[in-house]
Amino acid sequence: MTFTSMFKAGAALSLAGLLAACGGGGNSASPTGSGATPLPELPAVAWASPAVFVAPGAASKSFAMENCTRRIDINTNTTSQNIPSSSLYTASLVITSSGDISMKAATTETGAISTLWNTVFANMQNTAWSVSGTTQTPSYTINGNSNGRDEYQNFNIYSAQGESSVNLYSYSGQRDSSTNSYTNTYASIQCNLIDPLALQVNVDAARAAKNLGTAAGVDTFDNYDVPGRIEGGKAFWADSGAMPQFRNLRFDLATGELASNPSTTGTYSSLSLSLPTADTQFGSYGESL
């Protein structure tokens, strides 16, 4: 889940993706809903970790939810059982400082609260978070999945003013080779957030450099998503789907500066990854693994 010696173009494209949304120039990073108040530096928060929504020094953050339902389907080699959707009560989404996500609720109005869904950041094959909008009207998304031999989990969380959704899925399988039997259990949980997400980590060029640059041991462009190269301590690549002024991109592995160029021979212009400073300024920012 960490970058060691390869420049991950996919993660870099998360940065490049903000360019088309911003229309160029100015500050183009995530709004937080707290105006221009600087956020703390939390270098320990891993790249793309959901822990960016946990306050500094806190072990976790709990977000109250409502309108929660759960559905369970159980299939065996001989039977199929579909358990109708049922309501959940006193529900909350919990994100830890390690980036783990869990969902807690009671299955009856007076029942005990227990963990009904859980995924560990260290086991996630794919994870991403993003934010877009203005400081007054931000919208956030978190999504990812983990995939083991006999289990699978997927999550998608969205939070914006007046609108939210939490979708959690899990699969677990049990097999007995001696009897050639199996049991597959599928579960899904849908809720709405009462407490909105809010970014708690400062996003800027320094964070990008720490996770995607020389400090992270990057020395090679992996060419997985797009062809590119590293030359003179900088990564260069092109995004054919971006607006013309943002098609040629450059990332400084030492400083984290992201810059664009309308041509391969012109002058590069720096693109800020800092937080917006004006309420009316639109931006978008994302991190992914």
Side-chain angles (χ1 to χ4, degrees):
M1 300 297 290
T2 59
F3 300 122
T4 54
S5 62
M6 301 291 283
F7 182 83
K8 305 303 288 184
L13 286 173
S14 298
L15 302 177
L18 65 87
L19 306 180
C22 297
N27 295 316
S28 54
S30 58
T32 66
S34 57
T37 304
L39 292 172
E41 294 287 353
L42 291 180
V45 178
W47 187 262
S49 171
V52 295
F53 298 103
V54 179
S60 63
K61 169 67 177 178
S62 180
F63 301 86
M65 298 192 295
E66 62 183 357
N67 302 325
C68 289
T69 59
R70 179 174 65 166
R71 177 184 174 89
I72 300 175
D73 298 320
I74 303 174
N75 298 320
T76 72
N77 53 319
T78 58
T79 63
S80 178
Q81 180 183 9
N82 299 318
I83 301 175
S85 297
S86 59
S87 297
L88 301 174
Y89 304 88
T90 320
S92 63
L93 182 79
V94 179
I95 302 176
T96 73
S97 58
S98 298
D100 304 341
I101 300 177
S102 63
M103 187 274 180
K104 299 182 178 181
T107 56
T108 64
E109 289 189 67
T110 58
I113 297 174
S114 61
T115 300
L116 301 181
W117 188 93
N118 181 72
T119 189
V120 177
F121 177 69
N123 295 336
M124 295 179 190
Q125 273 69 50
N126 300 284
T127 181
W129 68 265
S130 64
V131 56
S132 63
T134 69
T135 58
Q136 300 303 307
T137 58
S139 61
Y140 301 90
T141 61
I142 315 174
N143 57 72
N145 65 70
S146 60
N147 189 9
R149 179 178 178 181
D150 293 312
E151 64 178 9
Y152 174 85
Q153 293 167 310
N154 180 281
F155 60 94
N156 193 298
I157 302 163
Y158 175 76
S159 174
Q161 283 192 345
E163 185 180 3
S164 70
S165 62
V166 176
N167 297 284
L168 311 171
Y169 303 92
S170 64
Y171 155 81
S172 61
Q174 294 180 334
R175 290 168 172 76
D176 187 337
S177 57
S178 63
T179 61
N180 197 30
S181 62
Y182 65 87
T183 301
N184 296 331
T185 302
Y186 303 86
S188 62
I189 297 174
Q190 283 81 42
C191 302
N192 296 116
L193 285 167
I194 298 175
D195 298 329
L197 296 174
L199 187 64
Q200 302 294 321
V201 171
N202 197 34
V203 292
D204 55 16
R207 175 170 171 80
K210 174 181 173 61
N211 290 276
L212 298 175
T214 306
V218 171
D219 58 15
T220 305
F221 200 101
D222 71 8
N223 295 301
Y224 182 79
D225 290 289
V226 294
R229 72 186 192 280
I230 289 179
E231 180 180 306
K234 297 178 176 65
F236 298 85
W237 73 100
D239 181 0
S240 60
M243 290 185 288
Q245 62 266 42
F246 302 127
R247 286 181 182 168
N248 298 286
L249 298 167
R250 184 188 70 192
F251 179 77
D252 191 311
L253 275 68
T255 67
E257 180 198 40
L258 183 67
S260 68
N261 185 351
S263 69
T264 58
T265 58
T267 301
Y268 281 84
S269 300
S270 179
L271 297 162
S272 175
L273 298 182
S274 300
L275 294 168
T277 57
D279 293 344
T280 56
Q281 192 170 32
F282 180 91
S284 178
Y285 179 95
E287 296 179 358
S288 66
L289 287 176

